[in-house]
């Protein structure tokens, strides 16, 4: 059955260009009323231009959809609150928040000013936190909400020169892991998209043969599904690029279990290192308490 968003209101931050624009266009096409949020600055977050958000609003309207622009930055609480207020003032409710806004300030850590580190943390991490904070009471009250954050392989895998970006993106995974537990009883689901796509962020870095396949609109169906009533998962990371979709999960090696009633030495750790590092019998990373219980039972330490 066709998945639609009639009577749903969505905010897509940073949707004046790139991936966010495609998410906003898809949601708008499927009936959502959309707040197109974008201050319209450069890739490193300098400057601004209203026309960037306005153009996407016009595109959505031209396709028969409903949209309004917000030019506010996600990067401070008051301004983020105004984005949520725009949705309420224009459309009377808020169901979907796609935290997509982002900037880059790449440099090797040795040469990176703390100002550039903090600016990236502020937009990616705190921007998502501020918008979610402002949306939370509304979603809780109506017992419905879909929140998507935008993570990156720069965090989960690592990428030279992106210590600020990788740290912020990885922190978002931690944020949704906790928030999914707090949102569950209010039917608020929080998931992450880990995209790779041709945008101004990647155009200069990736080779043309791969960019040609990495159309940003190929990421949006996963975002839209996570934003829909059909979404059945929370706290998940979906990787999406060039028509491929997969689940990202942390794994944990089988490792070793020493007798916790006996001393453990540094040398015992060193001697067991191969087994600790060996991922051949790895499992999805779980809360250590559950794991410990299983192991201690197996050792006959627990009744
Ligand atoms: P993009 O630069 O085209 O889009 C980012 C948008 O965010 C821009 O339109 C920008 O004006 C807006 N923005 C910047 N600061 C903002 C602020 N303070 N408040 C509101 N909006 C702001 O780049 P993109 O590739 O489309 O990036 C979208 C998201 O996807 C980002 O979070 C990015 O980190 C993430 N991402 C992209 C890729 C990729 O391959 N393109 C890979 C991993 C993650």
């Amino acid at each position: 059955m066709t998945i639609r968003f009639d009577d749903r209101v969505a905010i897509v931050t940073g949707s004046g260009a790139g991936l966010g624009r495609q998410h906003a266009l898809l949601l708008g096409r499927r009936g959502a009323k959309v707040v197109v949020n974008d201050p319209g600055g450069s890739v490193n977050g300098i400057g601004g231009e209203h026309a960037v958000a306005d153009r996407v609003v016009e595109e959505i309207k031209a396709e028969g959809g409903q949209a309004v622009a917000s030019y506010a930055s996600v990067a401070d609480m008051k301004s983020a609150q105004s984005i949520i207020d725009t949705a309420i003032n224009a459309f009377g409710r808020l169901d979907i928040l796609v935290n997509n806004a982002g900037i880059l300030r790449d440099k090797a850590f040795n040469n990176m000013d703390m100002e550039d580190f903090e600016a990236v943390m502020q937009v990616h991490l705190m921007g998502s936190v501020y918008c979610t904070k402002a949306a939370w009471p509304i979603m809780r009250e109506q017992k419905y909400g879909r929140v998507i954050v935008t993570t990156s392989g720069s965090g989960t895998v690592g990428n030279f020169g992106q210590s600020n970006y990788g740290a912020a993106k990885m922190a978002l995974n931690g944020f949704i892991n906790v928030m999914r537990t707090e949102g569950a009883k209010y039917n608020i689901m929080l998931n992450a998209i880990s995209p790779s796509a041709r945008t101004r962020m990647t155009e200069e870095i990736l080779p043309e043969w791969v960019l040609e396949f990495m159309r940003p609109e190929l990421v949006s169906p996963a975002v839209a599904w996570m934003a829909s009533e059909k979404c059945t998962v929370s706290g998940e990371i979906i990787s999406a690029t060039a028509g491929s979709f997969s689940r990202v999960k942390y794994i944990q090696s089988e490792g070793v279990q020493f007798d916790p009633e006996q001393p453990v030495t540094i040398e015992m750790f060193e001697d067991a290192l191969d087994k600790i590092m060996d991922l051949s019998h790895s499992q999805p990373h779980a809360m250590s308490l559950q794991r410990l219980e299983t192991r201690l039972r197996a050792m006959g330490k627990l009744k």
Side-chain angles (χ1 to χ4, degrees):
M1 217 172 90
T2 309
I3 296 177
R4 290 200 54 89
F5 298 88
D6 302 308
D7 304 321
R8 297 289 184 200
V9 175
I11 293 172
V12 184
T13 69
S15 52
L19 286 155
R21 171 172 164 267
Q22 293 299 335
H23 305 337
L25 287 171
L26 180 56
L27 291 170
R29 220 169 271 147
R30 292 296 181 98
K33 301 179 181 80
V34 185
V35 176
V36 176
N37 161 255
D38 208 306
S42 67
V43 74
N44 53 12
I46 310 289
E49 195 196 342
H50 286 191
V52 170
D54 289 341
R55 273 197 295 268
V56 179
V57 168
E58 288 317 312
E59 280 184 274
I60 293 173
K61 286 184 174 168
E63 292 188 12
Q66 294 184 61
V68 291
S70 147
Y71 316 111
S73 168
V74 297
D76 86 83
M77 185 64 219
K78 242 175 110 176
S79 172
Q81 179 68 55
S82 83
I83 304 171
I84 275 66
D85 294 346
T86 300
I88 300 299
N89 295 338
F91 302 125
R93 58 181 293 126
L94 174 63
D95 305 284
I96 297 158
L97 170 63
V98 182
N99 290 298
N100 164 81
I103 59 167
L104 287 181
R105 301 267 177 104
D106 294 2
K107 251 181 205 162
F109 188 65
N110 192 47
N111 305 323
M112 188 179 288
D113 295 335
M114 285 300 95
E115 195 192 316
D116 285 338
F117 202 102
E118 284 161 10
V120 165
M121 293 293 281
Q122 205 58 28
V123 174
H124 291 272
L125 173 61
M126 295 315 296
S128 302
V129 171
Y130 295 146
C131 289
T132 307
K133 178 74 179 166
W136 201 251
I138 299 166
M139 291 181 171
R140 242 176 82 120
E141 174 73 27
Q142 72 199 10
K143 293 199 165 47
Y144 186 85
R146 298 287 182 263
V147 178
I148 290 102
V149 299
T150 307
T151 185
S152 168
S154 274
T156 46
V157 180
N159 198 17
F160 188 93
Q162 295 198 316
S163 55
N164 48 3
Y165 184 78
K169 290 306 202 187
M170 199 64 186
L172 286 167
N173 300 338
F175 180 61
I176 60 160
N177 270 339
V178 172
M179 294 300 288
R180 86 186 154 83
T181 66
E182 299 189 16
K185 97 174 189 222
Y186 302 99
N187 193 14
I188 307 174
M189 293 177 172
L190 303 98
N191 290 289
I193 187 79
S194 184
S196 279
R198 175 182 213 142
T199 69
R200 65 181 184 175
M201 275 195 186
T202 52
E203 215 144 32
E204 311 281 295
I205 316 165
L206 296 171
E208 184 56 37
W209 69 264
V210 73
L211 282 172
E212 154 184 8
F213 297 108
M214 293 168 66
R215 290 181 289 124
E217 61 267 37
L218 294 176
V219 171
S220 303
V223 171
W225 182 82
M226 294 190 287
S228 77
E229 288 167 32
K230 296 281 180 193
C231 178
T232 46
V233 299
S234 198
E236 295 291 340
I237 304 170
I238 299 294
S239 168
T241 186
S244 100
F245 299 94
S246 50
R247 179 189 190 187
V248 177
K249 207 75 192 158
Y250 311 115
I251 56 168
Q252 193 165 11
S253 70
E254 193 181 349
V256 290
Q257 175 70 59
F258 298 119
D259 184 344
E261 292 177 311
Q262 299 299 322
V264 176
T265 65
I266 309 172
E267 290 71 25
M268 285 165 74
F269 179 88
E270 161 80 8
D271 290 345
L273 196 60
D274 283 350
K275 193 137 193 255
I276 294 168
M277 300 304 275
D278 178 14
L279 291 175
S280 53
H281 302 289
S282 57
Q283 291 195 342
H285 180 38
M287 274 299 195
S288 50
L289 207 64
Q290 296 158 4
R291 221 173 127 88
L292 185 61
E293 191 185 341
T294 313
R295 291 181 168 213
L296 292 182
R297 275 194 199 289
M299 292 172 87
K301 298 267 176 199
L302 291 174
K303 298 273 168 322

